[in-house]
Amino acid sequence: MKKRPSLMVLCAVCCLFAADIAMAKNSSVSSEQVKENVIAESIASYPGVCACPFNQARNGSACGRRSAWSKAGGYAPICYKNEVTDEMVKQWRENNS
């Protein structure tokens, strides 16, 4: 009579498989895509609607100079790809692998 693998072993194998897929997916993400993700996460972490000049205010107008990015001090969201450093790309890859 054959023994069935325990549920614990089966779960461990599934977790390893899922981790391999996540790592493969992350390594295939281009630097440009990572930069877009860094920007999106930065904007999403801002508590208001005007993180960046190109965002829309609640009344539908462009945030422009009212944006946090345009004001000195306080929040400093990342809005443009040229602001994303190689270190930020590396950190995003480490955090999302």
Side-chain angles (χ1 to χ4, degrees), residues 3-73:
K3 283 190 172 183
R4 289 182 164 179
S6 70
L7 184 58
M8 190 85 127
V9 171
L10 185 60
C11 188
V13 170
C14 287
C15 288
L16 286 173
F17 182 70
D20 284 343
I21 290 173
M23 287 177 68
K25 181 180 174 188
N26 240 2
S27 63
S28 67
V29 177
S30 72
S31 291
E32 290 299 306
Q33 190 88 42
V34 171
K35 288 179 181 184
E36 289 175 14
N37 291 341
V38 168
I39 292 167
E41 289 173 8
S42 177
I43 292 170
S45 71
Y46 182 69
V49 294
C50 282
C52 298
F54 53 79
N55 291 133
Q56 278 190 336
R58 285 187 177 85
N59 66 5
S61 65
C63 292
R65 290 183 176 178
R66 295 175 288 168
S67 70
W69 184 88
S70 300
K71 296 178 181 179

